[in-house]
Amino acid sequence: MEQSTSRRNFMKLSGVLLAAGATGAAGLARSSGAAASPAIVTGGMAALPKPRGPRLVVVGGGTSGLTIAKYAKKAYPGFDVVLVEKRDMYSSCFSSNLWYAGLVDLEFLADHSFLDAAVNNGYTYFNATVTGLDRASRTLVTSEGDIRYDFLVLAPGISYDYEKIGVKDADTIAALRQTYPGGFVAPTEHATIHRKIKEFEGGVFVQTVPSGNYRCLPGPYERACMIASVFKRNKVKGKVLVLDANPEVTIKKDGFHAAFNELYKGYLEWLPSKGVTGVDVEKRIIKTEFDEYKFDDAAIYANVRGSTLIEQLGLMAPANKSNQKEANVDTRYYNIVGDPHVYVTGDSRPHPYSKSANTSNTEGHYMARVLAARAQGREIPWVSPRTICYSMVNANPMEAISVDAGYDYSAEKDVITGFSKDTRTFESRDAAKGQATLEWARGIYRDMFAA
Amino acid sequence: MDRRGFVKLCSGSAAGLALADWTHRAAAADFEAAPPARLVGGDGVPLKAADIPAGEALVFAYPMAGVPCFLINLGDRAAHPASMRNEDGDYAWPGGVGPGGRFVAFVAICTHQMSYPQPAVSYLRYAASGSELAGAPGRIVCCAHASAFDPAEGARVTGGPATLPLLPVRLAYDAASDGLAADGILGMAFVQRFFKTYKADLNARFGPGGYREAVGDTTACVPLSRYSGVVPTC
């Protein structure tokens, strides 16, 4: 027993390393031309317990996947749930901006175990990378063997789309991705940005804001505030230059403008309608339509697209449904159009929802009930996800602004038409919302990892 | 199991509740009697209802050391009995006790994602005069995700993502001494999940397993503003 365990651990470790080698640039936009589902069903089955009910395989241990794995099991205890996640250590993207200003530590983001989530909630965590899918035989292919499913949920998050900021050659994409990461996908990017801010001695630190429905609309503005607060506190002779592709701050604009003007005069400059059209990584120059900006350091947030996994598995929506290479799913029930066994949730969805943790968490609660109902041959009515989200705009002392948004669905057009009437913003920053920002995140961690 | 399925079905939204075409009636739930504990002040002297302020909640532990509860004086609002439902089933909430039916108590743990008053900070509070998130005066508000509860109506949800009322704590009033005691709670399964979720924190605060110990004959009530170092006014 002892021996087989350690051998398995070893195999797992080597499998993960191989997978990491093969898909180290998983978030990177591949050159197009990838044909439909490259499924290679090896016939080697993954070492998983025998299913004791309809098997629900959830791919992706982020907010969406963790919420669905837990609550689908609660809603329908007959489910045999397997969570497939390529990482062996969790760390949240949400709240990572707070780390840069020292308001939380890395433990706050990362001291949450996939193992505990699985044990607490009666499912299996399977540490593997997805490499293929055969929908005809309902088989998911992973670096650790094949898994048969009755229901499959893919929640792989986002990838960056560097082509949309005029960076098209593989050399520059790789250099940019590694040297000036956007910090909205992988924990290793957060660690790099954290280091950059601590090391910054002066000059211009650029934070770009992409166009389109990028992940965490207030995220780049909040980060600019957090970096500026560090410069201000440490009396760094430098500023954060926010190059915004959009003509106006995309959300909570009054609250952000107030912070920019009242807290960070001389430490933060925000420039609208400055979509990035190219980057010279070597010379540290960002090009926009009419101007060029020299920088000393930067977090360059490229445009966002559905995870490359969605494209690789042949599940991408046509361009008229998503101009961000997101998944081709039913608007209300998230199944791949025409396939009631495969679902795509979280930030690879084509919906115009804010790509926020709270959206994925509330959507996950709903999707868990959809899956539970469908496993029992029933349907439930559509429910809007909810986007409650705080943005810390001051670090000393902690003060935040917030938004509480819902969405409307048009049955006639079968599309999400916009924010619901009860959407509210709370844009006068205060200490109460600053405190709430921390508990907002802890609540979501509890909801995903505790019993 | 069916009942739990139903509760899940309803969670998350008003639309879920609108779908009330359930085939299984939820089971009836009732208070679990626990040894009564007299509510006393921080100095150990029994509280008199006449001295309990209406401006903020008092925090006391019941029936175990690790279960935080709010004692609320509703001021000029009376709390009438109401039919309620939580994950245990349907139950009759007895309303307020004492002069004017103004005194109520609930477990101070948000039913959404379990925020609760801690010595450092409390994200849950009774906003007697209202607040940005409360929607109206006299609500219990959770800062984390803006859930709000009305203590005059059994702590039913009045806003935000919570779907279940705060757990009720039963109070008894003794007119002769103008004193109050807690003598029952409903929803121990939720409390057990709370214990599991916060086990490390609770052990650090109360000593290993200390949070599970019964409070005894008396339990001290402390104003929330003194109980927690920071009480954000969301």
Side-chain angles (χ1 to χ4, degrees):
Chain A
M1 189 66 193
E2 190 84 294
Q3 200 184 4
S4 81
T5 306
S6 54
R7 211 185 112 251
R8 243 176 90 178
N9 280 344
F10 165 72
M11 285 173 65
K12 211 152 255 194
L13 197 66
S14 55
V16 167
L17 288 174
L18 274 174
T23 60
L28 178 58
R30 294 257 171 114
S31 56
S32 52
S37 186
I40 304 156
V41 181
T42 62
M45 299 307 289
L48 282 166
K50 214 171 160 224
R52 289 192 202 123
R55 177 157 269 171
L56 167 63
V57 177
V58 179
V59 174
T63 309
S64 181
L66 285 164
T67 305
I68 291 172
K70 170 178 170 176
Y71 284 97
K73 179 75 181 174
K74 276 192 193 292
Y76 182 47
F79 266 142
D80 183 277
V81 180
V82 176
L83 177 72
V84 178
E85 165 56 47
K86 66 183 176 185
R87 295 182 292 177
D88 59 6
M89 183 78 195
Y90 176 88
S91 191
S92 69
C93 190
F94 64 82
S95 297
S96 57
N97 282 337
L98 307 181
W99 183 36
Y100 304 139
L103 302 181
V104 302
D105 54 19
L106 190 55
E107 270 190 42
F108 184 95
L109 306 176
D111 189 9
H112 314 282
S113 167
F114 289 123
L115 304 178
D116 295 345
V119 170
N120 286 340
N121 296 294
Y123 63 83
T124 305
Y125 158 67
F126 192 65
N127 188 196
T129 300
V130 171
T131 57
L133 170 66
D134 178 32
R135 291 199 279 145
S137 67
R138 288 185 210 156
T139 305
L140 182 73
V141 187
T142 81
S143 56
E144 297 292 310
D146 299 352
I147 307 172
R148 293 262 154 72
Y149 62 83
D150 296 287
F151 293 91
L152 173 66
V153 174
L154 299 164
I158 59 162
S159 294
Y160 293 124
D161 188 345
Y162 282 97
E163 294 197 9
K164 281 198 174 149
I165 58 166
V167 178
K168 293 172 182 167
D169 65 292
D171 287 5
T172 313
I173 291 173
L176 188 52
R177 192 187 168 79
Q178 294 192 157
T179 321
Y180 303 109
F184 281 90
V185 175
T188 196
E189 299 175 48
H190 303 148
T192 289
I193 293 172
H194 187 252
R195 172 190 59 74
K196 283 169 180 280
I197 294 165
K198 284 190 299 182
E199 290 180 354
F200 199 74
E201 294 177 351
V204 175
F205 192 112
V206 165
Q207 171 69 57
T208 68
V209 186
S211 61
N213 189 16
Y214 60 89
R215 173 178 270 178
C216 193
L217 294 177
Y221 307 108
E222 179 189 60
R223 187 190 293 157
C225 290
M226 292 299 94
I227 300 173
S229 77
V230 172
F231 291 177
K232 187 177 166 184
R233 187 182 60 209
N234 297 343
K235 301 190 170 62
V236 173
K237 289 194 173 57
K239 69 173 178 185
V240 184
L241 177 62
V242 183
L243 296 177
D244 193 339
N246 306 285
E248 181 50 274
V249 168
T250 54
I251 193 160
K252 298 179 258 196
K253 65 180 168 64
D254 295 340
F256 278 116
H257 280 304
F260 296 168
N261 297 331
E262 294 161 19
L263 301 174
Y264 303 119
K265 270 258 153 65
Y267 290 101
L268 191 156
E269 186 180 2
W270 171 78
L271 298 178
S273 302
K274 299 290 182 189
V276 177
T277 57
V279 180
D280 187 328
V281 177
E282 198 82 351
K283 293 193 179 125
R284 297 196 301 240
I285 291 171
I286 291 175
K287 294 162 196 156
T288 66
E289 197 181 359
F290 301 112
D291 304 289
E292 290 193 350
Y293 297 90
K294 181 100 179 73
F295 61 87
D296 296 287
D297 215 334
I300 297 178
Y301 191 1
N303 280 59
V304 159
R305 49 163 293 175
S307 166
T308 49
L309 182 68
I310 299 302
E311 182 175 14
Q312 287 160 13
L313 300 182
L315 304 175
M316 219 166 78
N320 65 356
K321 190 164 166 184
S322 162
N323 60 6
Q324 298 194 148
K325 300 184 176 179
E326 289 142 336
N328 189 24
V329 297
D330 181 87
T331 308
R332 286 175 298 167
Y333 297 108
Y334 296 75
N335 57 283
I336 291 293
V337 173
D339 187 344
H341 299 280
V342 178
Y343 297 74
V344 177
T345 63
D347 288 349
S348 274
R349 69 174 99 70
H351 306 61
Y353 301 149
S354 176
K355 293 181 189 293
S356 127
N358 201 259
T359 312
S360 283
N361 179 241
T362 53
E363 172 189 270
H365 278 264
Y366 159 71
M367 277 309 298
R369 295 189 293 111
V370 168
L371 292 159
R374 288 193 165 181
Q376 300 167 87
R378 293 189 283 108
E379 296 284 352
I380 61 164
W382 177 81
V383 174
S384 168
R386 198 84 198 165
T387 308
I388 298 171
C389 129
Y390 292 90
S391 300
M392 200 72 86
V393 292
N394 191 2
N396 316 293
M398 283 198 296
E399 291 178 321
I401 56 180
S402 70
V403 61
D404 179 0
Y407 305 89
D408 282 335
Y409 169 75
S410 157
E412 234 169 277
K413 299 181 197 149
D414 189 35
V415 293
I416 302 302
T417 51
F419 289 125
S420 57
K421 274 199 203 71
D422 60 352
T423 294
R424 300 182 295 171
T425 59
F426 304 92
E427 305 199 41
S428 74
R429 64 176 183 274
D430 63 26
K433 290 196 280 295
Q435 285 289 338
T437 305
L438 304 182
E439 187 66 1
W440 171 91
R442 290 195 200 99
I444 296 177
Y445 295 134
R446 285 194 292 273
D447 198 53
M448 298 189 296
F449 290 91
Chain B
M1 190 166 301
D2 284 323
R3 188 180 50 69
R4 238 176 103 171
F6 162 72
V7 169
K8 283 294 138 203
L9 205 64
C10 284
S11 73
S13 78
L17 287 169
L19 155 104
D21 177 30
W22 51 76
T23 43
H24 304 272
R25 289 294 299 174
D30 204 352
F31 283 84
E32 272 180 50
R38 187 98 189 252
L39 303 188
V40 300
D43 52 6
V45 176
L47 284 182
K48 285 185 186 300
D51 298 334
I52 296 170
E56 70 170 321
L58 306 188
V59 187
F60 65 95
Y62 186 81
M64 292 172 270
V67 185
C69 304
F70 279 163
L71 170 66
I72 293 171
N73 175 355
L74 294 166
D76 48 16
R77 295 181 78 197
H80 303 292
S83 296
M84 307 288 296
R85 172 192 296 252
N86 69 10
E87 63 179 9
D88 289 1
D90 294 318
Y91 62 93
W93 182 65
V97 303
R102 291 184 282 131
F103 298 90
V104 294
F106 302 95
V107 173
I109 303 170
C110 182
T111 53
H112 175 228
Q113 291 178 352
M114 294 191 174
S115 295
Y116 74 104
Q118 301 180 49
V121 55
S122 178
Y123 300 100
L124 193 71
R125 74 172 180 125
Y126 171 59
S129 52
S131 75
E132 192 171 39
L133 293 181
R139 301 275 158 83
I140 296 168
V141 188
C142 181
C143 286
H145 304 90
S147 290
F149 308 86
D150 187 348
E153 298 185 18
R156 72 174 178 89
V157 178
T158 58
T163 58
L164 299 170
L166 297 181
L167 305 185
V169 174
R170 193 169 58 198
L171 294 178
Y173 175 69
D174 174 46
S177 63
D178 195 30
L180 291 157
D183 72 351
I185 179 173
L186 196 158
M188 283 307 288
F190 178 87
V191 169
Q192 293 302 338
R193 283 208 306 284
F194 167 77
F195 283 166
K196 190 156 190 262
T197 299
Y198 287 102
K199 199 168 179 180
D201 292 351
L202 294 169
N203 278 332
R205 184 172 158 201
F206 294 98
Y211 59 92
R212 283 186 266 114
E213 282 169 23
V215 293
D217 299 341
T218 64
T219 183
C221 300
V222 180
L224 180 62
S225 56
R226 270 205 281 135
Y227 185 88
S228 296
V230 177
V231 183
T233 54
C234 300

Short mmCIF file of all heavy atoms in Angstrom, two decimals, chain A residues 241 243-244 271-280 285-294:
data_model
loop_
_atom_site.label_atom_id
_atom_site.label_comp_id
_atom_site.label_asym_id
_atom_site.label_seq_id
_atom_site.Cartn_x
_atom_site.Cartn_y
_atom_site.Cartn_z
N LEU A 241 1.14 54.93 -14.82
CA LEU A 241 0.50 55.47 -16.02
C LEU A 241 -0.51 54.43 -16.51
O LEU A 241 -0.13 53.33 -16.89
CB LEU A 241 1.55 55.76 -17.10
CG LEU A 241 1.00 56.27 -18.44
CD1 LEU A 241 0.27 57.60 -18.28
CD2 LEU A 241 2.14 56.41 -19.46
N LEU A 243 -2.86 53.27 -19.20
CA LEU A 243 -3.21 53.43 -20.61
C LEU A 243 -4.47 52.61 -20.85
O LEU A 243 -4.43 51.38 -20.88
CB LEU A 243 -2.07 52.96 -21.50
CG LEU A 243 -0.76 53.76 -21.38
CD1 LEU A 243 0.32 53.15 -22.27
CD2 LEU A 243 -0.98 55.24 -21.71
N ASP A 244 -5.58 53.32 -21.00
CA ASP A 244 -6.89 52.67 -21.06
C ASP A 244 -7.39 52.64 -22.50
O ASP A 244 -7.53 53.70 -23.13
CB ASP A 244 -7.87 53.45 -20.16
CG ASP A 244 -9.15 52.69 -19.90
OD1 ASP A 244 -9.48 51.77 -20.68
OD2 ASP A 244 -9.84 53.01 -18.91
N LEU A 271 -5.05 57.81 -18.76
CA LEU A 271 -5.26 58.33 -20.11
C LEU A 271 -6.27 57.46 -20.84
O LEU A 271 -6.04 56.27 -21.03
CB LEU A 271 -3.94 58.36 -20.88
CG LEU A 271 -2.83 59.26 -20.31
CD1 LEU A 271 -1.56 59.14 -21.14
CD2 LEU A 271 -3.29 60.72 -20.24
N PRO A 272 -7.41 58.06 -21.25
CA PRO A 272 -8.44 57.28 -21.95
C PRO A 272 -8.11 57.09 -23.42
O PRO A 272 -7.26 57.79 -23.97
CB PRO A 272 -9.68 58.16 -21.79
CG PRO A 272 -9.15 59.56 -21.71
CD PRO A 272 -7.79 59.46 -21.05
N SER A 273 -8.81 56.14 -24.05
CA SER A 273 -8.71 55.89 -25.49
C SER A 273 -7.27 55.68 -25.93
O SER A 273 -6.82 56.22 -26.94
CB SER A 273 -9.34 57.05 -26.28
OG SER A 273 -10.69 57.21 -25.90
N LYS A 274 -6.53 54.90 -25.15
CA LYS A 274 -5.15 54.59 -25.49
C LYS A 274 -5.00 53.08 -25.66
O LYS A 274 -4.33 52.41 -24.86
CB LYS A 274 -4.19 55.09 -24.40
CG LYS A 274 -4.21 56.61 -24.18
CD LYS A 274 -3.60 57.36 -25.36
CE LYS A 274 -3.60 58.87 -25.10
NZ LYS A 274 -3.21 59.62 -26.32
N GLY A 275 -5.68 52.55 -26.67
CA GLY A 275 -5.57 51.12 -26.96
C GLY A 275 -4.15 50.81 -27.43
O GLY A 275 -3.60 51.53 -28.26
N VAL A 276 -3.58 49.77 -26.88
CA VAL A 276 -2.21 49.39 -27.25
C VAL A 276 -2.23 48.77 -28.64
O VAL A 276 -3.07 47.92 -28.95
CB VAL A 276 -1.64 48.40 -26.22
CG1 VAL A 276 -0.23 47.94 -26.62
CG2 VAL A 276 -1.61 49.03 -24.83
N THR A 277 -1.29 49.24 -29.49
CA THR A 277 -1.21 48.69 -30.85
C THR A 277 0.12 47.98 -31.10
O THR A 277 0.36 47.48 -32.20
CB THR A 277 -1.37 49.81 -31.90
OG1 THR A 277 -0.36 50.81 -31.65
CG2 THR A 277 -2.75 50.46 -31.81
N GLY A 278 0.97 47.95 -30.11
CA GLY A 278 2.23 47.24 -30.26
C GLY A 278 3.12 47.51 -29.06
O GLY A 278 2.92 48.50 -28.34
N VAL A 279 4.06 46.60 -28.81
CA VAL A 279 4.99 46.79 -27.69
C VAL A 279 6.39 46.42 -28.16
O VAL A 279 6.59 45.39 -28.81
CB VAL A 279 4.62 45.88 -26.49
CG1 VAL A 279 5.60 46.10 -25.33
CG2 VAL A 279 3.19 46.14 -26.02
N ASP A 280 7.33 47.29 -27.87
CA ASP A 280 8.74 46.97 -28.08
C ASP A 280 9.30 46.56 -26.72
O ASP A 280 9.58 47.41 -25.86
CB ASP A 280 9.49 48.18 -28.64
CG ASP A 280 10.92 47.83 -29.04
OD1 ASP A 280 11.53 46.94 -28.37
OD2 ASP A 280 11.44 48.44 -30.00
N ILE A 285 8.86 50.25 -24.88
CA ILE A 285 7.99 51.27 -25.47
C ILE A 285 6.65 50.64 -25.81
O ILE A 285 6.59 49.56 -26.40
CB ILE A 285 8.62 51.87 -26.75
CG1 ILE A 285 9.85 52.70 -26.38
CG2 ILE A 285 7.61 52.73 -27.51
CD1 ILE A 285 10.67 53.16 -27.57
N ILE A 286 5.58 51.31 -25.38
CA ILE A 286 4.23 50.88 -25.74
C ILE A 286 3.71 51.82 -26.80
O ILE A 286 3.81 53.05 -26.66
CB ILE A 286 3.30 50.90 -24.51
CG1 ILE A 286 3.71 49.81 -23.54
CG2 ILE A 286 1.83 50.72 -24.94
CD1 ILE A 286 2.94 49.81 -22.25
N LYS A 287 3.19 51.24 -27.89
CA LYS A 287 2.63 52.07 -28.96
C LYS A 287 1.12 52.08 -28.86
O LYS A 287 0.50 51.03 -28.63
CB LYS A 287 3.05 51.51 -30.32
CG LYS A 287 4.54 51.59 -30.57
CD LYS A 287 4.97 50.66 -31.70
CE LYS A 287 6.47 50.47 -31.66
NZ LYS A 287 6.92 49.23 -32.29
N THR A 288 0.54 53.27 -29.01
CA THR A 288 -0.91 53.38 -29.17
C THR A 288 -1.16 54.03 -30.53
O THR A 288 -0.20 54.31 -31.26
CB THR A 288 -1.54 54.23 -28.05
OG1 THR A 288 -1.07 55.58 -28.18
CG2 THR A 288 -1.18 53.69 -26.67
N GLU A 289 -2.41 54.28 -30.86
CA GLU A 289 -2.71 54.73 -32.22
C GLU A 289 -1.87 55.94 -32.64
O GLU A 289 -1.30 55.98 -33.72
CB GLU A 289 -4.21 55.05 -32.34
CG GLU A 289 -4.68 55.12 -33.78
CD GLU A 289 -6.15 55.47 -33.89
OE1 GLU A 289 -6.82 55.65 -32.84
OE2 GLU A 289 -6.62 55.57 -35.03
N PHE A 290 -1.79 56.94 -31.75
CA PHE A 290 -1.09 58.17 -32.13
C PHE A 290 0.18 58.42 -31.34
O PHE A 290 0.93 59.32 -31.68
CB PHE A 290 -2.03 59.37 -31.94
CG PHE A 290 -3.30 59.28 -32.75
CD1 PHE A 290 -4.52 59.10 -32.12
CD2 PHE A 290 -3.25 59.34 -34.14
CE1 PHE A 290 -5.69 59.01 -32.87
CE2 PHE A 290 -4.42 59.24 -34.90
CZ PHE A 290 -5.64 59.08 -34.26
N ASP A 291 0.39 57.68 -30.27
CA ASP A 291 1.50 58.02 -29.38
C ASP A 291 2.35 56.81 -29.03
O ASP A 291 1.97 55.67 -29.26
CB ASP A 291 0.95 58.62 -28.06
CG ASP A 291 0.05 59.81 -28.32
OD1 ASP A 291 0.57 60.86 -28.71
OD2 ASP A 291 -1.18 59.65 -28.15
N GLU A 292 3.49 57.12 -28.43
CA GLU A 292 4.35 56.08 -27.88
C GLU A 292 4.67 56.44 -26.43
O GLU A 292 4.81 57.62 -26.10
CB GLU A 292 5.66 56.00 -28.66
CG GLU A 292 5.49 55.45 -30.06
CD GLU A 292 6.82 55.08 -30.71
OE1 GLU A 292 7.90 55.42 -30.15
OE2 GLU A 292 6.77 54.43 -31.76
N TYR A 293 4.75 55.43 -25.58
CA TYR A 293 5.02 55.68 -24.16
C TYR A 293 6.19 54.83 -23.71
O TYR A 293 6.16 53.60 -23.84
CB TYR A 293 3.78 55.37 -23.32
CG TYR A 293 2.62 56.27 -23.66
CD1 TYR A 293 1.70 55.91 -24.66
CD2 TYR A 293 2.46 57.50 -23.03
CE1 TYR A 293 0.66 56.75 -25.01
CE2 TYR A 293 1.42 58.34 -23.38
CZ TYR A 293 0.51 57.97 -24.36
OH TYR A 293 -0.51 58.80 -24.71
N LYS A 294 7.20 55.50 -23.19
CA LYS A 294 8.37 54.80 -22.65
C LYS A 294 8.04 54.41 -21.21
O LYS A 294 7.43 55.19 -20.48
CB LYS A 294 9.56 55.77 -22.69
CG LYS A 294 10.86 55.21 -22.21
CD LYS A 294 11.78 54.79 -23.36
CE LYS A 294 13.10 54.24 -22.85
NZ LYS A 294 13.02 52.91 -22.24
#
